């Protein structure tokens, strides 16, 4: 049952905290989810403590993402100056992932800092996307859409990125244009005292909901499992029967890229890669009351990691390093 009341959200947060203690290797995504439930329950002080706990931990996986969440929470919590300092720090760090940019840009938007929000969205797209790019990574689409929305509220004319946002939106939701979806008058209609206007807007929202149901039913990426070379060596040493799945590390990397390209060619969206570790996989197998030598567990393990927020978006952003860990740019490595 989905949490609905503040008590439900607190109970879910407590469950996630207990799980994080049991699986320290998955602590970061579990604590982030717990913090989100605490925010929904109005326990912003406790949520802030969880963000601080993550930032104080040794080598957090996504420190800029955590800082972005903390900034959004602190501003709602009445600590605007501290939130602004965190937002400035995230912007100065110029992350190459979309999520921190989206969170801080929407935080500024939600507090009527539209010019600052627009600048934030634009900076992010300058880093992650070139104007006129045909291929728009899934994670970057929300930045295009958010920037389009803010520009509509500012009354700015369409530019090339807005045109790209319109095209991407039309490819997936052809029934409603992005201009109509981001029309500020629609928000005014929802705040109207006129029952006829409210009924008309609610009917329109109902008709649009069907277009989003497929995306809502899969909130996390379709992910492929990636074993770094050292982890794969350890895995096969402990469970040699899995050599049938992974004859060599080079073949494993080639299979990952081929599988993702095949999925993309069939129209599958929101693709990602999750990085496996032997201790995490063994813990997952134990939770399933099975043996790590059971190859049928591998896709389930990948899905579980993706659901916990561990997936890196595929393909990598323009100019980003290859997912394989070689240190080379993706387009000069497996993306070539």
């Amino acid at each position: 049952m989905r949490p609905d009341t503040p008590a439900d959200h607190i109970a879910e947060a407590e469950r996630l905290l207990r799980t994080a203690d049991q699986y320290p290797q998955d602590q970061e995504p579990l604590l982030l989810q717990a913090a989100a439930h605490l925010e929904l329950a109005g326990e912003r002080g406790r949520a802030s403590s969880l963000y601080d706990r993550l930032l104080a931990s040794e080598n957090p996986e996504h420190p800029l993402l955590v800082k972005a969440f903390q900034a959004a929470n602190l501003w709602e919590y009445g600590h605007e100056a501290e939130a602004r300092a965190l937002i400035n720090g995230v912007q100065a760090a110029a992350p190459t992932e979309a999520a921190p940019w989206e969170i801080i840009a929407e935080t500024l938007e939600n507090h009527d800092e539209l010019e600052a929000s627009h600048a934030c969205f634009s900076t992010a797209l300058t880093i992650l996307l070139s104007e006129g790019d045909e291929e728009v990574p899934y994670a970057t689409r929300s930045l295009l859409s958010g920037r389009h929305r803010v520009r509509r509220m500012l009354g700015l004319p369409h530019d090339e990125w807005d045109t790209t946002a319109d095209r991407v939106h039309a490819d997936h939701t052809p029934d409603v244009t992005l201009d109509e979806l981001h029309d500020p008058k629609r928000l005014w209609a929802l705040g109207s005292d006129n029952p006829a206007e409210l009924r008309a807007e609610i009917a329109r929202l109902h008709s649009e909901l069907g277009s989003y149901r497929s995306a809502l039913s899969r909130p996390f990426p379709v992910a492929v499992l990636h074993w770094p070379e050292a982890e794969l060596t350890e895995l096969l040493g402990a469970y040699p029967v899995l050599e049938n799945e992974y004859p060599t590390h080079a073949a494993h990397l080639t299979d990952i890229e081929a599988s993702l390209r095949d999925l993309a060619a069939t129209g599958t969206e929101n693709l990602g890669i999750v990085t496996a570790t032997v201790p995490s996989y063994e813990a997952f197998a134990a939770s399933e009351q099975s043996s790590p030598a059971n190859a049928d567990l591998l896709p389930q393990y990948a899905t579980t990691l993706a659901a916990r927020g561990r997936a890196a978006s595929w393909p990598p952003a323009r100019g980003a390093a290859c997912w394989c860990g070689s240190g080379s740019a993706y387009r000069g490595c497996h993306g070539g």
Side-chain angles (χ1 to χ4, degrees):
M1 186 174 185
R2 293 174 65 90
D4 188 35
T5 66
D8 291 335
H9 284 293
I10 291 174
E12 180 63 11
E14 298 292 354
R15 184 190 71 79
L16 289 164
L17 290 171
R18 291 192 298 270
T19 305
D21 290 336
Q22 292 177 325
Y23 300 100
Q25 70 278 5
D26 295 324
Q27 183 182 73
E28 185 166 312
L30 291 169
L31 292 185
L32 285 177
Q33 291 178 56
H37 282 289
L38 290 172
E39 288 189 40
L40 290 169
E43 295 284 340
R44 294 194 173 275
R46 289 188 63 192
S48 181
S49 296
L50 286 185
Y51 294 131
D52 286 338
R53 173 180 164 183
L54 280 170
L55 292 172
S57 64
E58 185 177 352
N59 298 322
E61 289 184 69
H62 304 288
L64 296 178
L65 179 63
V66 178
K67 288 180 180 180
F69 278 127
Q70 177 71 300
N73 178 59
L74 285 172
W75 203 322
E76 295 293 337
Y77 187 34
H79 298 272
E80 179 182 338
E82 190 175 350
R84 286 184 183 276
L86 284 169
I87 287 173
N88 292 338
V90 172
Q91 290 178 305
T96 55
E97 298 81 32
W101 286 111
E102 182 178 5
I103 293 164
I104 62 174
E106 290 188 350
T107 298
L108 292 165
E109 177 188 352
N110 292 337
H111 292 277
D112 296 325
E113 302 274 349
L114 296 183
E115 288 82 3
S117 176
H118 177 258
C120 189
F121 277 124
S122 299
T123 302
L125 288 170
T126 300
I127 293 171
L128 300 176
L129 190 68
S130 294
E131 291 188 20
D133 266 5
E134 290 298 319
E135 294 293 330
V136 180
Y138 185 88
T140 310
R141 294 175 191 172
S142 57
L143 295 175
L144 280 169
S145 179
R147 182 177 180 276
H148 184 286
R149 180 180 62 248
V150 170
R151 288 174 67 82
R152 288 282 284 135
M153 289 190 284
L154 288 170
L156 298 174
H158 272 41
D159 60 8
E160 289 190 39
W161 273 329
D162 287 327
T163 301
T164 302
D166 287 334
R167 174 178 59 78
V168 171
H169 177 81
D171 287 343
H172 304 282
T173 314
D175 296 336
V176 184
T177 67
L178 206 54
D179 275 336
E180 182 180 359
L181 195 62
H182 292 162
D183 184 354
K185 293 180 180 178
R186 300 191 66 177
L187 298 178
W188 302 337
L190 285 172
S192 171
D193 293 329
N194 186 325
E197 289 183 358
L198 283 171
R199 281 194 296 269
E201 186 57 30
I202 290 170
R204 182 159 52 173
L205 289 170
H206 271 296
S207 69
E208 293 167 11
L209 182 60
S211 301
Y212 296 108
R213 281 186 176 165
S214 61
L216 290 172
S217 67
R218 180 164 50 80
F220 51 85
V222 173
V224 175
L225 200 60
H226 167 223
W227 292 93
E229 188 168 11
E231 294 292 335
L232 186 60
T233 300
E234 182 180 346
L235 177 76
L236 298 180
Y239 311 102
V241 69
L242 294 178
E243 288 179 0
N244 294 329
E245 300 291 325
Y246 308 112
T248 67
H249 187 253
H252 168 52
L253 298 182
T254 300
D255 287 344
I256 290 173
E257 184 70 24
S259 298
L260 289 165
R261 292 191 184 200
D262 287 345
L263 287 168
T266 63
T268 304
E269 299 177 358
N270 197 10
L271 298 172
I273 297 174
V274 288
T275 300
T277 65
V278 173
S280 171
Y281 178 56
E282 289 175 334
F284 173 76
S287 71
E288 295 293 313
Q289 298 182 333
S290 184
S291 166
N294 180 3
D296 291 339
L297 287 178
L298 294 168
Q300 299 175 39
Y301 174 52
T303 300
T304 300
L305 291 180
R308 291 178 180 175
R310 301 291 292 274
S313 179
W314 180 93
R318 185 180 184 88
C322 187
W323 53 263
C324 72
S326 66
S328 300
Y330 172 66
R331 297 198 180 193
C333 192
H334 283 87

